[in-house]
Amino acid sequence: MSSKVNTSVHDKLRSCIALGVLPANAELRLEVEYCTARRPSITLRGSSKKYQEYFYELQSHVRSNMDAWHVTAVAAPTKPRIGAFEITLLWTHNGYPYRVCVFSKLTTRLWPNVSTLVSGLAEVLPQQKDIMWFKIIGDVGEGEAICDCHIVIQDPDSDQVVRSAVTQPDGTAEVSVPEGMYNVTVQADGYTSEQALLTLMSTEPTVIRMSRAGKTLLTEGGSNNDSFN
């Protein structure tokens, strides 16, 4: 049985989260391809029942430990390969399908530690409570919504990019990140790129007013710890 946490899988998921393609409100599906060949037989050892038992165990752990996410564990619709117990995380974002293989028995030659696998996913995947909202507007009058504004959120200590997002036509963007203090950079065509240290809170949106002429950029909501300039 494999009890190791697959760091490469977690890195792939963190990358998807940072790029904004794996949001907290995504409908997730753990698709399991498991061998249904009759066992034991002349060519196959073991018990076919074991594959089914592991699948049911995964479903049980998902129901018990991942209720904070929209996630289900289902059998793969395709004909399974001999000896397979492959677990793939699937979701769609903006109409595009994404898939990340989170475990492969065919590759490892081991059975998964279902508890470790599920708890590892729970540590990495964003939650609904971590959704932060931005609204980017111009600094003239009531402020026109700024579409296609690129927002980059960095850890203030390491400068590592933890999330990024692009605003919708109404100037809003959803970002999955825990509440806290971050370096926030905003960039949009025709506007001055700005950066500031902000405290993001889920209780209210962070409204950012961008300037076309290099004026001071204003924020509303959240906490402006360091003025944009």
Tab-separated table of all heavy atoms in Angstrom, residues 160-194:
chain	number	residue	atom	x	y	z
A	160	GLN	N	6.433	34.611	-3.668
A	160	GLN	CA	5.902	33.538	-4.513
A	160	GLN	C	4.468	33.860	-4.914
A	160	GLN	O	3.658	34.296	-4.089
A	160	GLN	CB	5.932	32.205	-3.769
A	160	GLN	CG	5.379	31.044	-4.590
A	160	GLN	CD	5.412	29.726	-3.828
A	160	GLN	OE1	5.866	29.678	-2.696
A	160	GLN	NE2	4.925	28.676	-4.449
A	161	VAL	N	4.150	33.663	-6.193
A	161	VAL	CA	2.788	33.883	-6.666
A	161	VAL	C	1.894	32.761	-6.144
A	161	VAL	O	2.140	31.586	-6.408
A	161	VAL	CB	2.733	33.932	-8.208
A	161	VAL	CG1	1.287	34.035	-8.681
A	161	VAL	CG2	3.558	35.089	-8.738
A	162	VAL	N	0.880	33.134	-5.378
A	162	VAL	CA	-0.024	32.137	-4.813
A	162	VAL	C	-1.331	32.046	-5.592
A	162	VAL	O	-1.973	30.995	-5.618
A	162	VAL	CB	-0.314	32.408	-3.321
A	162	VAL	CG1	0.929	32.201	-2.486
A	162	VAL	CG2	-0.861	33.815	-3.100
A	163	ARG	N	-1.742	33.145	-6.233
A	163	ARG	CA	-2.959	33.149	-7.037
A	163	ARG	C	-2.846	34.228	-8.096
A	163	ARG	O	-2.128	35.218	-7.948
A	163	ARG	CB	-4.214	33.433	-6.187
A	163	ARG	CG	-4.496	32.449	-5.079
A	163	ARG	CD	-4.950	31.093	-5.584
A	163	ARG	NE	-5.350	30.246	-4.490
A	163	ARG	CZ	-4.525	29.496	-3.764
A	163	ARG	NH1	-3.233	29.503	-4.040
A	163	ARG	NH2	-4.979	28.744	-2.780
A	164	SER	N	-3.598	34.037	-9.170
A	164	SER	CA	-3.749	35.083	-10.170
A	164	SER	C	-5.147	34.977	-10.754
A	164	SER	O	-5.783	33.924	-10.682
A	164	SER	CB	-2.689	34.956	-11.275
A	164	SER	OG	-2.868	33.753	-11.997
A	165	ALA	N	-5.623	36.076	-11.312
A	165	ALA	CA	-6.966	36.090	-11.878
A	165	ALA	C	-7.078	37.213	-12.887
A	165	ALA	O	-6.245	38.130	-12.920
A	165	ALA	CB	-8.005	36.252	-10.776
A	166	VAL	N	-8.102	37.138	-13.730
A	166	VAL	CA	-8.390	38.171	-14.722
A	166	VAL	C	-9.835	38.602	-14.534
A	166	VAL	O	-10.731	37.760	-14.374
A	166	VAL	CB	-8.163	37.653	-16.159
A	166	VAL	CG1	-8.554	38.718	-17.180
A	166	VAL	CG2	-6.715	37.243	-16.355
A	167	THR	N	-10.084	39.904	-14.547
A	167	THR	CA	-11.433	40.399	-14.294
A	167	THR	C	-12.384	40.108	-15.452
A	167	THR	O	-11.984	40.074	-16.618
A	167	THR	CB	-11.424	41.910	-14.021
A	167	THR	OG1	-10.790	42.582	-15.122
A	167	THR	CG2	-10.673	42.229	-12.730
A	168	GLN	N	-13.650	39.947	-15.103
A	168	GLN	CA	-14.726	39.721	-16.056
A	168	GLN	C	-15.170	41.066	-16.643
A	168	GLN	O	-14.687	42.125	-16.230
A	168	GLN	CB	-15.889	39.021	-15.357
A	168	GLN	CG	-15.527	37.681	-14.724
A	168	GLN	CD	-15.056	36.666	-15.741
A	168	GLN	OE1	-15.665	36.495	-16.806
A	168	GLN	NE2	-13.950	35.989	-15.437
A	169	PRO	N	-16.104	41.051	-17.594
A	169	PRO	CA	-16.572	42.315	-18.178
A	169	PRO	C	-17.126	43.317	-17.169
A	169	PRO	O	-17.080	44.525	-17.411
A	169	PRO	CB	-17.671	41.860	-19.150
A	169	PRO	CG	-17.235	40.494	-19.571
A	169	PRO	CD	-16.633	39.883	-18.340
A	170	ASP	N	-17.627	42.830	-16.019
A	170	ASP	CA	-18.142	43.751	-15.000
A	170	ASP	C	-17.055	44.220	-14.038
A	170	ASP	O	-17.335	44.885	-13.038
A	170	ASP	CB	-19.290	43.116	-14.216
A	170	ASP	CG	-18.859	41.869	-13.447
A	170	ASP	OD1	-17.690	41.446	-13.581
A	170	ASP	OD2	-19.705	41.313	-12.718
A	171	GLY	N	-15.800	43.877	-14.335
A	171	GLY	CA	-14.684	44.322	-13.511
A	171	GLY	C	-14.415	43.489	-12.280
A	171	GLY	O	-13.542	43.823	-11.479
A	172	THR	N	-15.137	42.387	-12.111
A	172	THR	CA	-14.966	41.565	-10.919
A	172	THR	C	-14.098	40.349	-11.203
A	172	THR	O	-13.970	39.896	-12.341
A	172	THR	CB	-16.327	41.079	-10.371
A	172	THR	OG1	-16.952	40.229	-11.347
A	172	THR	CG2	-17.233	42.260	-10.051
A	173	ALA	N	-13.498	39.827	-10.147
A	173	ALA	CA	-12.698	38.605	-10.234
A	173	ALA	C	-12.807	37.856	-8.916
A	173	ALA	O	-12.836	38.472	-7.842
A	173	ALA	CB	-11.244	38.920	-10.545
A	174	GLU	N	-12.883	36.555	-9.009
A	174	GLU	CA	-12.946	35.688	-7.837
A	174	GLU	C	-11.589	35.023	-7.654
A	174	GLU	O	-11.021	34.490	-8.605
A	174	GLU	CB	-14.035	34.630	-8.012
A	174	GLU	CG	-14.071	33.569	-6.946
A	174	GLU	CD	-15.000	32.428	-7.312
A	174	GLU	OE1	-16.176	32.676	-7.615
A	174	GLU	OE2	-14.537	31.266	-7.309
A	175	VAL	N	-11.082	35.051	-6.432
A	175	VAL	CA	-9.771	34.464	-6.135
A	175	VAL	C	-9.908	33.563	-4.918
A	175	VAL	O	-10.491	33.966	-3.908
A	175	VAL	CB	-8.709	35.554	-5.863
A	175	VAL	CG1	-7.369	34.915	-5.548
A	175	VAL	CG2	-8.580	36.485	-7.052
A	176	SER	N	-9.390	32.353	-5.010
A	176	SER	CA	-9.419	31.412	-3.895
A	176	SER	C	-8.114	31.496	-3.123
A	176	SER	O	-7.080	31.007	-3.585
A	176	SER	CB	-9.647	29.980	-4.404
A	176	SER	OG	-10.861	29.874	-5.101
A	177	VAL	N	-8.152	32.130	-1.970
A	177	VAL	CA	-6.960	32.303	-1.145
A	177	VAL	C	-7.410	32.535	0.293
A	177	VAL	O	-8.416	33.214	0.532
A	177	VAL	CB	-6.112	33.490	-1.661
A	177	VAL	CG1	-6.853	34.803	-1.551
A	177	VAL	CG2	-4.782	33.564	-0.950
A	178	PRO	N	-6.724	31.970	1.283
A	178	PRO	CA	-7.104	32.216	2.679
A	178	PRO	C	-6.978	33.695	3.037
A	178	PRO	O	-6.163	34.421	2.457
A	178	PRO	CB	-6.097	31.365	3.475
A	178	PRO	CG	-5.637	30.321	2.513
A	178	PRO	CD	-5.635	30.984	1.170
A	179	GLU	N	-7.792	34.148	3.969
A	179	GLU	CA	-7.696	35.526	4.428
A	179	GLU	C	-6.290	35.805	4.941
A	179	GLU	O	-5.640	34.946	5.529
A	179	GLU	CB	-8.711	35.789	5.537
A	179	GLU	CG	-10.150	35.799	5.071
A	179	GLU	CD	-11.108	36.192	6.182
A	179	GLU	OE1	-10.725	36.067	7.370
A	179	GLU	OE2	-12.230	36.624	5.885
A	180	GLY	N	-5.820	37.007	4.718
A	180	GLY	CA	-4.485	37.366	5.192
A	180	GLY	C	-3.898	38.513	4.403
A	180	GLY	O	-4.578	39.157	3.594
A	181	MET	N	-2.623	38.765	4.638
A	181	MET	CA	-1.917	39.886	4.024
A	181	MET	C	-1.121	39.402	2.816
A	181	MET	O	-0.399	38.411	2.894
A	181	MET	CB	-0.987	40.533	5.055
A	181	MET	CG	-0.361	41.842	4.601
A	181	MET	SD	0.670	42.554	5.916
A	181	MET	CE	-0.574	42.862	7.173
A	182	TYR	N	-1.272	40.108	1.697
A	182	TYR	CA	-0.611	39.721	0.453
A	182	TYR	C	-0.138	40.956	-0.313
A	182	TYR	O	-0.705	42.051	-0.176
A	182	TYR	CB	-1.566	38.933	-0.452
A	182	TYR	CG	-2.083	37.655	0.152
A	182	TYR	CD1	-3.288	37.645	0.856
A	182	TYR	CD2	-1.387	36.460	0.022
A	182	TYR	CE1	-3.776	36.470	1.412
A	182	TYR	CE2	-1.863	35.282	0.576
A	182	TYR	CZ	-3.060	35.295	1.271
A	182	TYR	OH	-3.544	34.140	1.827
A	183	ASN	N	0.881	40.743	-1.136
A	183	ASN	CA	1.243	41.747	-2.130
A	183	ASN	C	0.306	41.568	-3.327
A	183	ASN	O	0.202	40.462	-3.875
A	183	ASN	CB	2.692	41.570	-2.590
A	183	ASN	CG	3.698	42.076	-1.574
A	183	ASN	OD1	3.439	43.046	-0.873
A	183	ASN	ND2	4.846	41.417	-1.484
A	184	VAL	N	-0.375	42.641	-3.704
A	184	VAL	CA	-1.332	42.572	-4.806
A	184	VAL	C	-0.870	43.504	-5.925
A	184	VAL	O	-0.613	44.689	-5.693
A	184	VAL	CB	-2.746	42.968	-4.347
A	184	VAL	CG1	-3.726	42.922	-5.523
A	184	VAL	CG2	-3.226	42.053	-3.226
A	185	THR	N	-0.756	42.941	-7.131
A	185	THR	CA	-0.381	43.726	-8.302
A	185	THR	C	-1.526	43.681	-9.308
A	185	THR	O	-2.090	42.610	-9.557
A	185	THR	CB	0.894	43.164	-8.961
A	185	THR	OG1	1.954	43.145	-8.003
A	185	THR	CG2	1.313	44.013	-10.154
A	186	VAL	N	-1.871	44.856	-9.870
A	186	VAL	CA	-2.931	44.918	-10.876
A	186	VAL	C	-2.375	45.546	-12.142
A	186	VAL	O	-1.639	46.534	-12.096
A	186	VAL	CB	-4.151	45.720	-10.362
A	186	VAL	CG1	-4.878	44.938	-9.277
A	186	VAL	CG2	-3.743	47.079	-9.817
A	187	GLN	N	-2.733	44.951	-13.287
A	187	GLN	CA	-2.256	45.429	-14.579
A	187	GLN	C	-3.396	45.393	-15.576
A	187	GLN	O	-4.117	44.389	-15.667
A	187	GLN	CB	-1.108	44.552	-15.104
A	187	GLN	CG	0.145	44.576	-14.238
A	187	GLN	CD	1.209	43.618	-14.740
A	187	GLN	OE1	0.910	42.464	-15.039
A	187	GLN	NE2	2.439	44.086	-14.840
A	188	ALA	N	-3.585	46.472	-16.322
A	188	ALA	CA	-4.625	46.537	-17.344
A	188	ALA	C	-4.182	47.484	-18.444
A	188	ALA	O	-3.525	48.503	-18.182
A	188	ALA	CB	-5.946	47.006	-16.735
A	189	ASP	N	-4.534	47.161	-19.679
A	189	ASP	CA	-4.179	48.006	-20.815
A	189	ASP	C	-4.778	49.396	-20.638
A	189	ASP	O	-5.968	49.545	-20.333
A	189	ASP	CB	-4.698	47.387	-22.120
A	189	ASP	CG	-3.932	46.140	-22.516
A	189	ASP	OD1	-2.811	45.947	-21.998
A	189	ASP	OD2	-4.457	45.362	-23.334
A	190	GLY	N	-3.954	50.412	-20.812
A	190	GLY	CA	-4.420	51.775	-20.716
A	190	GLY	C	-4.390	52.348	-19.315
A	190	GLY	O	-4.743	53.513	-19.110
A	191	TYR	N	-3.958	51.536	-18.344
A	191	TYR	CA	-3.906	51.992	-16.956
A	191	TYR	C	-2.510	51.751	-16.395
A	191	TYR	O	-1.762	50.896	-16.870
A	191	TYR	CB	-4.934	51.257	-16.101
A	191	TYR	CG	-6.355	51.580	-16.462
A	191	TYR	CD1	-7.004	50.899	-17.491
A	191	TYR	CD2	-7.064	52.573	-15.788
A	191	TYR	CE1	-8.317	51.194	-17.840
A	191	TYR	CE2	-8.373	52.881	-16.129
A	191	TYR	CZ	-8.990	52.185	-17.157
A	191	TYR	OH	-10.287	52.486	-17.494
A	192	THR	N	-2.173	52.498	-15.362
A	192	THR	CA	-0.878	52.343	-14.723
A	192	THR	C	-0.856	51.085	-13.857
A	192	THR	O	-1.749	50.880	-13.034
A	192	THR	CB	-0.565	53.562	-13.837
A	192	THR	OG1	-0.618	54.748	-14.627
A	192	THR	CG2	0.809	53.439	-13.194
A	193	SER	N	0.153	50.245	-14.046
A	193	SER	CA	0.305	49.059	-13.207
A	193	SER	C	0.689	49.495	-11.800
A	193	SER	O	1.547	50.365	-11.624
A	193	SER	CB	1.370	48.127	-13.772
A	193	SER	OG	1.010	47.690	-15.058
A	194	GLU	N	0.047	48.885	-10.816
A	194	GLU	CA	0.275	49.285	-9.433
A	194	GLU	C	0.451	48.061	-8.543
A	194	GLU	O	0.042	46.950	-8.894
A	194	GLU	CB	-0.893	50.126	-8.914
A	194	GLU	CG	-1.201	51.379	-9.715
A	194	GLU	CD	-0.194	52.485	-9.523
A	194	GLU	OE1	0.709	52.327	-8.673
A	194	GLU	OE2	-0.307	53.513	-10.218
